[in-house]
């Protein structure tokens, strides 16, 4: 090992092991000492209403109907998502994804776990929604896979890296439902057999087009139940 490589390894070790000991964690939102997300800020995270669609997690109307799924039922079965994609979570996720904010992984994953009084039904496998290799090289990691590994360890569910994004689609933020569906045509592939009950994992759900495309593909490969484990939902 050369001197530069050894120095880099020591620096990483110092960051991971020594700094948290020398500088105890403080809340990323209010700076209170003791935890990456303090109990007060965790309680104040923007929550989806209790009256929401079990399919897609959107709030239902006064008649109890989903404005989307009552028109066209999705191919997935249930969305487990506690939070709304708005401040301060939106800023945290953007830092995490686009500004090398890997230290947000654990507090965000734990916030999702802590949000449930009763844990979601346990699937047989967690499937991170994949990123294209070009985007992985650009970012260095897939945030959906990071969430899946945290949640998989907590619930004893294996993570299966079997989905591939074979076409590098444009960023989906801001596109309409129809535009997203067109973008996603033939974008994914499955490279292995799967169990009957799986959950797709991602950080943000917007129109649900990615989840719908993947759920249809998984059904074609014999999956009987497809749940979504999502950190935040855009409204």
């Amino acid at each position: 090992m050369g001197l530069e490589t050894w120095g880099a390894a020591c620096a990483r070790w110092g960051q991971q092991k020594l700094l948290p000991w020398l500088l105890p964690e403080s809340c990323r939102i209010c700076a209170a000492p003791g935890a990456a997300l303090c109990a007060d800020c965790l309680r104040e995270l923007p929550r989806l209403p209790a009256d929401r669609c079990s399919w897609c997690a959107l709030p239902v109307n006064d008649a109890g109907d989903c404005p989307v799924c009552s028109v066209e039922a999705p191919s997935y079965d249930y969305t487990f998502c506690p939070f709304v994609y708005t401040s301060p979570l939106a800023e945290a996720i953007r830092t995490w994804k686009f500004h090398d904010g890997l230290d947000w992984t654990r507090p965000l994953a734990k916030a999702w776990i802590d949000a449930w009084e009763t844990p979601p039904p346990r699937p047989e496998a967690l499937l991170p929604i994949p990123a294209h290799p070009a985007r992985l090289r650009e970012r260095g990691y897939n945030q959906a896979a990071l969430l899946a590994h945290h949640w998989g360890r907590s619930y004893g569910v294996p993570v299966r890296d079997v989905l591939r994004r074979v076409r590098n689609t444009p960023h989906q933020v801001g596109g309409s439902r129809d535009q997203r569906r067109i973008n996603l045509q033939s974008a994914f592939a499955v490279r292995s057999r799967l169990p009957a009950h799986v959950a797709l994992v991602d950080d943000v759900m917007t129109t649900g087009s990615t989840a719908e495309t993947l759920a249809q593909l998984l059904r074609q490969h014999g999956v009987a139940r497809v749940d979504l484990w999502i950190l935040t939902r855009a409204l």
Side-chain angles (χ1 to χ4, degrees):
M1 180 181 292
L3 290 178
E4 292 183 1
T5 304
W6 175 255
C10 289
R12 287 196 301 272
W13 185 86
Q15 290 174 347
Q16 295 170 5
K17 300 297 182 183
L18 292 180
L19 288 181
W21 179 73
L22 294 171
L23 302 172
E25 274 194 312
S26 58
C27 179
R28 308 292 171 79
I29 297 174
C30 73
L37 279 178
C38 72
D40 289 340
C41 287
L42 189 59
R43 281 192 297 269
E44 294 300 318
L45 291 179
R47 295 289 192 102
L48 286 165
D51 294 330
R52 58 183 185 262
C53 176
S54 62
W55 266 321
C56 74
L58 283 176
V60 297
N61 58 27
D62 292 339
D65 296 324
C66 174
V68 175
C69 299
S70 59
V71 176
E72 181 183 1
S75 298
Y76 45 86
D77 294 278
Y78 205 105
T79 296
F80 294 94
C81 178
F83 300 120
V84 180
Y85 182 68
T86 189
S87 183
L89 284 174
E91 291 84 356
I93 289 171
R94 284 195 290 269
T95 299
W96 179 40
K97 291 169 64 172
F98 303 118
H99 301 287
D100 201 26
L102 273 170
D103 56 351
W104 269 107
T105 303
R106 183 170 55 84
L108 290 174
K110 187 175 184 300
W112 188 92
I113 293 169
D114 292 344
W116 304 109
E117 293 183 6
T118 302
R122 197 169 78 173
E124 296 171 85
L126 296 179
L127 311 183
I129 290 182
H132 189 271
R135 195 163 294 171
L136 275 176
R137 287 192 296 271
E138 174 188 337
R139 187 177 300 164
Y141 52 89
N142 177 7
Q143 71 282 351
L146 297 178
L147 288 176
H149 284 287
H150 273 270
W151 297 342
R153 284 195 299 270
S154 294
Y155 292 115
V157 180
V159 177
R160 298 282 304 278
D161 183 26
V162 299
L163 299 177
R164 289 291 177 267
R165 191 182 288 258
V166 295
R167 193 164 60 82
N168 194 7
T169 56
H171 283 287
Q172 296 283 74
V173 176
S176 69
R177 178 179 293 269
D178 288 341
Q179 287 172 331
R180 288 167 179 261
R181 286 183 174 177
I182 292 170
N183 287 342
L184 292 167
Q185 288 176 356
S186 304
F188 300 102
V190 177
R191 66 171 192 168
S192 178
R193 295 183 62 183
L194 289 165
H197 180 195
V198 303
L200 292 165
V201 176
D202 209 359
D203 59 321
V204 182
M205 183 175 179
T206 48
T207 66
S209 298
T210 299
E212 174 64 19
T213 300
L214 282 167
Q216 291 178 8
L217 181 63
L218 293 171
R219 300 286 191 194
Q220 293 168 12
H221 284 75
V223 177
R225 173 169 171 170
V226 180
D227 293 336
L228 309 183
W229 286 19
I230 309 291
L231 180 63
T232 62
R233 181 67 160 100
L235 299 182

